[in-house]
């Protein structure tokens, strides 16, 4: 694939968070960009505002003529697209260059100094912190983010091409297309077992990923993971560790011990030890890249977060409404820790929409344990995403496993009414499905009510 010869790029699944970042990248590079997606969203609206034409019906007749030239069109698709997709099969059977998003990303990273962030949790936040630190310290960087950065209101930071920052996604083993100079692994908890079969296969794929690092490159790993590299951790004996943590006005203030110095007085405003760990690895990678501490401290203090990652929707004296993308038991535990650390004596209502039948089935007992720890729990039906139902696996089944008297399964249409009836001080929406679309309606209803 020679990206230099391409005039137009057609995306199948253009509204996906990773796909839309690539689409923005090619628009900025002056190429013609178009695509299909199943549903209209804020992301597709933003792309259309940039001049990208998008249609929402799987129909070859809706593809513009400019994208029907084999010689000059690249077709990019996401693994979430079903195999019987008409447009995808048309391009494949007519000899177009049809490749996965991860392969395109791999090509882009080969030509730059690449920093890749891998791990079953924390990728998006870590990538956005890393991209922001480099950008704020005047490094010529392009960062592809798996979420919308609050600092840039975008999933792409574009400030030159010396360094590329990417999420290395273990789903579908797509991170094995990358060639990083620096890479980190934040976590290796079992996930995507619909792809891997069992956890040992997942670990093996992370080992394979660690071998993709360029010669003289560096691998950073969370302390305790079974892969060798430069270690990082919180208040421990890692190569890079956070020390002397204080909470001042809802923000963390801390020092960083490096292999040869103590860097003092960093400030970071995202709650939760998991986010502190994400900030640390971004700092470790930028320190190793050679950026001086004073610049880094200033950049980190200005970091605002990623939409749907512990995002405060309402923060008033009598009510806090937080929205988070957590969709794995460990992520829910991390959100719980953050909420309890910030609001130790307050009542918390957690509204959870499970994501995927297979994930719910694989981790049902762990989900039940994580959710039981909140004061009140509301479940929505499982969001199927790419899957067909599995018999016996539903939210009612999960609800019965939760050990808490204050639990209920409701429909989305009942959500606002139920929240208003609760006496909880902290309202929490969690999940990776379309619960994110409900957030603005909940925020509006609660803002009017208060």
């Amino acid at each position: 694939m020679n990206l230099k010869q391409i005039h137009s790029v057609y995306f199948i699944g253009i509204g996906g968070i990773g796909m839309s970042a690539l689409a923005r990248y090619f628009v900025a590079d002056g190429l013609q960009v178009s695509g299909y997606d199943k549903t209209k969203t804020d992301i597709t609206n933003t792309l259309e505002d940039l001049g990208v034409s998008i249609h929402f019906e799987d129909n070859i007749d809706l593809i513009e003529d400019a994208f029907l030239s084999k010689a000059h069109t690249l077709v990019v698709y996401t693994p979430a697209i079903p195999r019987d997709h008409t447009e995808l099969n048309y391009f494949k059977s007519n000899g177009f260059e049809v490749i996965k998003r991860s392969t395109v990303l791999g090509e882009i990273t080969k030509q730059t100094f690449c920093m890749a962030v891998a791990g079953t949790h924390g990728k998006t936040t870590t990538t956005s912190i890393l991209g922001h630190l480099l950008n704020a310290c005047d490094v010529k960087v392009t960062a592809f983010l798996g979420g919308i950065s609050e600092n840039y209101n975008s999933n792409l930071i574009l400030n030159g091409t010396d360094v590329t920052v990417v999420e290395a996604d273990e789903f579908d083993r797509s991170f094995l297309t990358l060639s990083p100079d620096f890479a980190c692994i934040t976590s290796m908890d079992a996930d995507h077992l619909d792809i891997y079969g069992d956890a040992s296969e997942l670990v093996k794929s992370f080992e394979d990923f660690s071998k993709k690092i360029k010669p003289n490159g560096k691998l950073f790993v969370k302390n305790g993971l079974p892969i060798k590299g430069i270690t990082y951790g919180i208040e421990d004996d890692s190569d890079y560790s956070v020390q002397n943590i204080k909470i001042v006005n809802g923000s963390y203030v801390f020092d960083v011990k490096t292999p040869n110095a103590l860097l003092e007085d960093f400030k970071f405003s995202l709650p939760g030890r998991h986010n502190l760990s994400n900030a640390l690895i971004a700092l470790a990678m930028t320190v190793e890249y050679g950026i001086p501490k004073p610049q880094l401290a200033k950049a980190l203090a200005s970091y605002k977060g990623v939409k749907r990652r512990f995002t405060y929707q309402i923060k008033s004296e009598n009510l806090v409404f937080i929205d988070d993308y957590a969709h794995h038991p460990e992520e829910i535990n991390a959100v719980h820790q953050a909420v309890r650390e910030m609001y130790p004596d307050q009542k918390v209502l957690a509204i959870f929409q499970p994501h995927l039948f297979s994930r719910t089935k694989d981790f049902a007992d762990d989900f039940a344990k994580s959710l039981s720890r909140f004061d009140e729990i509301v479940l929505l039906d499982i969001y199927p995403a790419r899957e067909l139902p599995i018999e016996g696996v539903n939210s009612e089944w999960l609800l019965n496993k939760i050990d808490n008297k204050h639990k209920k399964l409701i429909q989305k249409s009942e959500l606002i009414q139920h929240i208003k009836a609760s006496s909880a001080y902290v309202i929490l929406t969690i999940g990776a499905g379309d619960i994110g679309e409900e957030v603005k309606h909940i925020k509006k209803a609660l803002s009017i009510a208060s």
Side-chain angles (χ1 to χ4, degrees):
M1 177 179 58
N2 186 347
L3 292 175
K4 302 273 186 288
Q5 289 177 352
I6 287 158
H7 298 175
S8 48
V9 190
Y10 188 81
F11 287 87
I12 303 176
I14 196 166
I17 198 76
M19 292 281 274
S20 58
L22 260 189
R24 281 172 176 272
Y25 175 81
F26 284 121
V27 168
D29 209 24
L31 276 67
Q32 276 191 295
V33 176
S34 176
Y36 154 87
D37 208 285
K38 193 166 59 173
T39 43
K40 205 172 176 59
T41 60
D42 289 346
I43 288 175
T44 59
N45 291 341
T46 311
L47 287 173
E48 287 177 314
D49 291 343
L50 291 174
V52 176
S53 71
I54 301 172
H55 57 265
F56 301 93
E57 184 191 334
D58 177 15
N59 184 342
I60 299 153
D61 297 336
L62 298 176
I63 302 167
E64 294 171 39
D65 290 349
F67 298 89
L68 295 173
S69 155
K70 257 188 298 200
H72 300 303
T73 300
L74 174 66
V75 179
V76 183
Y77 73 102
T78 161
I81 292 291
R83 286 183 183 164
D84 60 356
H85 194 273
T86 312
E87 292 182 18
L88 180 61
N89 286 311
Y90 168 81
F91 285 118
K92 279 183 172 175
S93 58
N94 283 283
F96 280 76
E97 181 134 36
V98 181
I99 54 180
K100 283 185 189 172
R101 178 187 73 90
S102 54
T103 308
V104 185
L105 218 44
E107 284 302 313
I108 292 168
T109 60
K110 274 177 195 161
Q111 285 131 48
T112 61
F113 188 97
C114 172
M115 296 191 190
V117 178
T120 43
H121 325 294
K123 284 190 294 291
T124 298
T125 303
T126 304
T127 308
S128 78
I129 299 169
L130 184 54
H132 175 67
L133 292 179
L134 291 164
N135 185 59
C137 295
D138 296 320
V139 174
K140 301 290 178 223
V141 63
T142 299
F144 295 94
L145 313 178
I148 305 295
S149 157
E150 298 278 11
N151 286 80
Y152 305 94
N153 197 28
S154 174
N155 51 352
L156 180 71
I157 301 171
L158 197 54
N159 179 31
T161 54
D162 291 355
V163 177
T164 316
V165 175
V166 296
E167 287 191 29
D169 193 358
E170 76 284 355
F171 172 71
D172 206 31
R173 297 179 172 84
S174 62
F175 60 178
L176 299 181
T177 62
L178 301 174
S179 307
D181 295 85
F182 284 9
C184 73
I185 300 175
T186 63
S187 48
M188 284 164 47
D189 295 303
D191 198 3
H192 303 304
L193 298 184
D194 53 326
I195 302 288
Y196 285 98
D198 66 55
S200 64
E201 281 298 306
L202 182 74
V203 171
K204 185 180 175 300
S205 79
F206 276 104
E207 287 167 352
D208 292 341
F209 169 70
S210 70
K211 292 168 190 157
K212 293 282 177 183
I213 295 169
K214 289 174 192 163
N216 304 317
K218 293 178 181 179
L219 177 66
F220 301 77
V221 295
K222 179 82 176 282
N223 198 4
L225 293 181
I227 289 182
K228 281 193 167 45
I230 298 167
T231 56
Y232 72 98
I234 293 180
E235 293 178 323
D236 62 10
D237 59 353
S238 301
D239 299 316
Y240 281 83
S241 79
V242 168
Q243 302 287 346
N244 309 321
I245 303 166
K246 297 188 283 291
I247 294 176
V248 180
N249 298 328
S251 295
Y252 288 115
V253 176
F254 60 95
D255 302 334
V256 174
K257 178 185 75 67
T258 77
N260 44 29
L262 183 71
L263 309 178
E264 294 180 325
D265 214 24
F266 285 93
K267 184 185 170 199
F268 182 62
S269 298
L270 256 63
R273 294 290 174 111
H274 61 301
N275 283 321
L276 196 52
S277 177
N278 295 334
L280 172 64
I281 182 51
L283 286 170
M285 291 170 90
T286 46
V287 166
E288 292 282 336
Y289 186 70
I291 297 175
K293 186 259 159 177
Q295 275 183 275
L296 285 175
K298 189 180 173 193
L300 188 67
S302 68
Y303 176 75
K304 294 179 188 168
V306 178
K307 282 189 169 65
R308 300 219 63 227
R309 302 303 192 281
F310 211 91
T311 302
Y312 283 100
Q313 297 291 336
I314 297 174
K315 196 177 187 180
S316 66
E317 277 181 31
N318 55 355
L319 179 72
V320 171
F321 172 27
I322 297 162
D323 177 45
D324 195 278
Y325 186 73
H327 55 284
H328 183 283
E330 286 303 320
E331 292 166 353
I332 295 171
N333 288 339
V335 169
H336 179 267
Q337 182 276 323
V339 169
R340 296 297 187 203
E341 188 173 50
M342 292 298 159
Y343 305 100
D345 305 314
Q346 301 290 359
K347 185 175 177 183
V348 182
L349 162 63
I351 299 146
F352 178 56
Q353 180 191 46
H355 184 262
L356 298 179
F357 295 102
S358 59
R359 186 183 281 125
T360 307
K361 174 173 167 277
D362 290 337
F363 303 109
D365 292 340
D366 293 332
F367 274 124
K369 200 170 162 189
S370 299
L371 292 164
S372 299
R373 299 163 73 193
F374 295 100
D375 302 303
E376 274 185 63
I377 306 102
V378 164
L379 285 190
L380 298 175
D381 287 328
I382 296 171
Y383 183 76
R386 55 186 179 267
E387 293 185 335
L388 293 170
I390 297 171
E391 195 177 338
V393 177
N394 53 43
S395 288
E396 181 87 44
W397 174 69
L398 177 59
L399 189 80
N400 289 334
K401 291 176 174 287
I402 294 172
D403 182 18
N404 189 314
K405 285 183 201 151
H406 307 288
K407 60 180 182 178
K408 197 170 184 187
L409 171 61
I410 65 171
Q411 296 303 307
K412 272 191 284 190
S413 57
E414 305 169 82
L415 202 45
I416 288 167
Q417 186 187 341
H418 191 88
I419 292 168
K420 282 183 173 176
S422 170
S423 61
Y425 176 79
V426 180
I427 312 290
L428 193 57
T429 44
I430 39 183
D434 60 5
I435 189 169
E437 297 296 310
E438 299 300 313
V439 169
K440 52 194 168 204
H441 305 305
I442 297 168
K443 181 177 181 177
K444 189 178 173 188
L446 291 178
S447 299
I448 293 164
S450 60

